[in-house]
Amino acid sequence: NLVSVSVISSTALEADGWDSGLLIMGFKKAKKLILKEKLALCLITQKKNTFSTWTSPQFRKFLLK
């Protein structure tokens, strides 16, 4: 049910590697790895017609308040 992975990274190559791998892993495994590695990511999941967003603490630092 993971439909989107957005990564903030120092290089496009690193971001592309993380987003591709994490999308394949699925939400639960991806979230666990993101928290362990302290990555700046946003995950979007879909259940029927409802989308949900989860952001890592490192990603939240980049959001405007």
Side-chain angles (χ1 to χ4, degrees):
N1 65 347
L2 185 57
V3 296
S4 178
V5 177
S6 298
V7 182
I8 297 175
S9 182
S10 58
T11 68
L13 182 62
E14 182 181 3
D16 186 50
W18 278 113
D19 68 21
S20 298
L22 293 169
L23 190 60
I24 292 168
M25 292 177 78
F27 179 77
K28 288 182 182 179
K29 289 181 182 179
K31 181 179 174 183
K32 184 176 179 179
L33 184 58
I34 291 164
L35 293 172
K36 178 183 173 193
E37 297 295 326
K38 298 181 180 176
L39 302 171
L41 278 101
C42 174
L43 303 178
I44 299 175
T45 57
Q46 180 181 13
K47 189 173 185 178
K48 296 190 179 184
N49 292 329
T50 303
F51 291 89
S52 299
T53 303
W54 177 84
T55 56
S56 69
Q58 291 75 16
F59 188 90
R60 289 182 210 128
K61 295 175 186 176
F62 292 94
L63 298 176
L64 299 175
K65 296 182 181 189

